[in-house]
Amino acid sequence: MTDESAGSEHRPTFLVTGATSGLGEAIAAQLSERGARVLMGARTAERGQAAADRIRSRVLDADLEVAVADLSLMQEVRSLAYQILDSTPRLDGLILNAAEARSELVLTDDGIETNFATNHLAGFLLTHLLLPRPRSSTPARVVVISSSVHSQVRMVDLNSVVTGAPLTPDSYRTSKLLNILFVQELARRLQGTGITANAVDPGFVRTNLGRYSTGRRRMLVTLTHPLPSSPERAAITPVYLATSSEVADVTGRYYADGHPKELSGLAANARLARRLWAVSAQALVTRGLATLNEMIAFG
Ligand SMILES: NC(=O)c1ccc[n+]([C@@H]2O[C@H](COP(=O)([O-])OP(=O)(O)OC[C@H]3O[C@@H](n4cnc5c(N)ncnc54)[C@H](OP(=O)(O)O)[C@@H]3O)[C@@H](O)[C@H]2O)c1
């Protein structure tokens, strides 16, 4: 990361992953409009700079810094976290937004299914490694972007989380279920610390998310959602959860359209959430991608 932030330590600071397009870029722009300093997570420096330039053209005093990492690769997640710890004295909010929706099975260089690596494991690891910053900046907030498609998942084999095999029955949808389970267990572990954690369904949004989806899945999504909303509109609820005093004490909830929604089925299963936490830590440690010490950050 480049240090363009001299003199801006007093600004509330947020990391937004996947800030180079769609919802993440809109969230970064709206946080900038509110005077926040934003670390813009980007897969490449070029895409990060291009998105930062677009925001600066609209928000003249935007305080932006590009934070580069391919989040499907846990070594890059680690480097990103340690660079932020080195260069950023405070972190008031962590918006875990980056996601891929590949319909083909693609394994990462770590041997982990890509949607699962980017959409769940990267956020899980990043939250552990960055925890000292929100802890020293309380009150602080974690917001995880999930999706209503989580409710279509009828079974989840958590052994796949350890082995890195594809999640069943659909790895993107399952990863969005894992986002909610992660938030609930995170909120439980953060009780009383001054850090809240909530999940959001942004609705169906016109973005680049479908670019790796093929054939039937893509057609089905287009037919069932003829009227997508704009990224700017979809960013309102995540930004509300990240900044509004109205929800300062709200934690462990799932929001859509500005309101909390009741969870049901697998998403409401606290035992599954605890087991997910354990197997995610195990998957990272057994692969040498995290240490035991790092994984006990939350006790
Ligand atoms: N669009 C919808 O209808 C919809 C509905 C429900 C939930 N969501 C959720 O909304 C969130 C944002 O998605 P979006 O719709 O805005 O899609 P998007 O336009 O494709 O944005 C995804 C962002 O994540 C980044 N990203 C993906 N893989 C990455 C990786 N391996 N490393 C680093 N960055 C990576 C992308 O970077 P690149 O630009 O480099 O690819 C991009 O900035 C996701 O969590 C998604 O599940 C979207």
Side-chain angles (χ1 to χ4, degrees), residues 20-21 23 43 47 71 97 100 172 176 205 207 211:
T20 52
S21 78
L23 187 58
R43 199 195 308 243
R47 286 182 63 73
L71 300 177
N97 162 78
E100 313 198 35
Y172 173 73
K176 296 289 106 180
V205 198
T207 66
R211 66 195 175 291

Side-chain angles (χ1 to χ4, degrees), residues 17-24 41-44 47 69-72 96-100 118-119 145-148 172 176 179 201-212:
T17 66
T20 52
S21 78
L23 187 58
R43 199 195 308 243
T44 66
R47 286 182 63 73
D70 179 341
L71 300 177
S72 68
L96 298 175
N97 162 78
E100 313 198 35
T118 305
N119 304 5
I145 310 301
S146 177
S147 166
S148 61
Y172 173 73
K176 296 289 106 180
N179 290 158
D201 163 31
F204 186 56
V205 198
R206 194 179 306 105
T207 66
N208 292 331
L209 190 66
R211 66 195 175 291
Y212 297 121

Side-chain angles (χ1 to χ4, degrees), residues 43-61:
R43 199 195 308 243
T44 66
E46 294 69 28
R47 286 182 63 73
Q49 277 310 332
D53 289 346
R54 285 192 294 274
I55 294 177
R56 284 196 187 101
S57 71
R58 283 178 291 140
V59 187
L60 295 182
D61 65 342

